[in-house]
Amino acid sequence: MARYTDSTCRLCRREGAKLFLKGDRCYSDKCAVARRSYAPGQHGQGRKKVSEYGLQLREKQKVRRIYGVMERQFRNYFEKAERQKGVTGENLLVTLERRLDNIVYRLGFADSRAEARTLIRHGHFLVNGRKVNIPSYLVRAGDTIKVREKSKASPRFKEIAEAAAHRTVPAWLSADGNALEGHVLALPTREQIDTPVQEHLIVELYSR
């Protein structure tokens, strides 16, 4: 499967906003956006006026990069959202929020979605008692996500448990940091999704 292997900090700089792709580093003085708040590359500081198409494209790229989704997969999510009842843009965001790697990150069991993907691929998580190693797995309301018992003894998960006990999770989720177990209480509404995006621009882009 194709994946992005270049510097993730370049992505934040290109979008001109913190996408929180590197966990705690994004909150520190080492954050690339805080140090160099202009696009990377030779012409990064001399950007021209952005067209309407450019705004729509940047919004789509921003969402893709926040959730760590490649172009073809993102397009498939959009087409699925378009076929569902309701507002297409909201359906798209809800689908992205349902990804297992996002759920693990939202529960506080990983510092970033990238780390969540790695931990999931290594088989550290169970969904409803069954091992799932597919980061794009879509959870449903009522699902239970927990760390495997064998994995809890590792130094990394001990650190995660200590940090998760003090983290706040979204209202549509519940988490037990000590047990490293979480529950999907319901699917999120648009108001409960704090992703800084104007999803209508993505709909306009794909409607061209």
Side-chain angles (χ1 to χ4, degrees), residues 22-25 27 103-113 115-116 119 156 159-170 173-178 180:
K22 299 193 74 172
D24 292 339
R25 182 187 178 93
Y27 297 94
I103 297 294
V104 168
Y105 166 69
R106 293 288 195 188
L107 289 171
F109 299 161
D111 282 344
S112 65
R113 291 180 179 88
E115 183 185 23
L119 295 176
R156 178 57 187 139
E159 293 176 359
I160 289 173
E162 292 179 3
H166 304 288
R167 287 183 178 174
T168 302
V169 301
L173 299 172
S174 68
D176 184 339
N178 294 321
L180 290 175

Side-chain angles (χ1 to χ4, degrees), residues 47-63:
R47 296 173 65 186
K48 299 179 181 178
K49 183 178 179 180
V50 182
S51 65
E52 180 181 358
Y53 171 79
L55 289 173
Q56 296 167 349
L57 178 63
R58 291 267 58 85
E59 206 67 13
K60 187 260 293 183
Q61 295 293 74
K62 183 198 300 184
V63 177

Side-chain angles (χ1 to χ4, degrees), residues 15-188:
E15 303 308 328
K18 290 189 178 187
L19 305 183
F20 301 100
L21 304 178
K22 299 193 74 172
D24 292 339
R25 182 187 178 93
C26 300
Y27 297 94
S28 71
D29 295 336
K30 295 181 180 180
C31 175
V33 175
R35 296 167 62 186
R36 292 177 289 180
S37 58
Y38 50 86
Q42 181 179 359
H43 305 291
Q45 297 186 64
R47 296 173 65 186
K48 299 179 181 178
K49 183 178 179 180
V50 182
S51 65
E52 180 181 358
Y53 171 79
L55 289 173
Q56 296 167 349
L57 178 63
R58 291 267 58 85
E59 206 67 13
K60 187 260 293 183
Q61 295 293 74
K62 183 198 300 184
V63 177
R64 270 192 52 228
R65 289 163 174 174
I66 288 175
Y67 289 98
V69 178
M70 301 304 289
E71 180 61 42
R72 179 176 293 181
Q73 191 175 24
F74 188 84
R75 183 61 186 249
N76 289 339
Y77 283 143
F78 179 83
E79 291 175 354
K80 179 181 178 180
E82 203 171 26
R83 292 192 299 267
Q84 293 174 338
K85 293 181 179 180
V87 182
T88 300
E90 294 182 10
N91 292 340
L92 174 63
L93 290 182
V94 170
T95 301
L96 292 169
E97 284 289 316
R98 289 176 57 199
R99 285 174 55 98
L100 182 58
D101 54 1
N102 177 73
I103 297 294
V104 168
Y105 166 69
R106 293 288 195 188
L107 289 171
F109 299 161
D111 282 344
S112 65
R113 291 180 179 88
E115 183 185 23
R117 282 191 288 277
T118 300
L119 295 176
I120 292 168
R121 287 196 186 104
H122 289 177
H124 292 297
F125 287 91
L126 304 176
V127 178
N128 299 328
R130 299 179 61 182
K131 184 175 78 171
V132 177
N133 58 5
I134 303 173
S136 61
Y137 176 88
L138 297 181
V139 304
R140 298 182 179 184
D143 283 355
T144 298
I145 297 91
K146 64 186 299 184
V147 177
R148 295 176 63 193
E149 289 299 325
K150 292 182 179 179
S151 303
K152 291 180 181 179
S154 71
R156 178 57 187 139
F157 276 107
K158 288 181 179 178
E159 293 176 359
I160 289 173
E162 292 179 3
H166 304 288
R167 287 183 178 174
T168 302
V169 301
W172 54 282
L173 299 172
S174 68
D176 184 339
N178 294 321
L180 290 175
E181 180 175 331
H183 301 276
V184 181
L185 304 178
L187 296 185

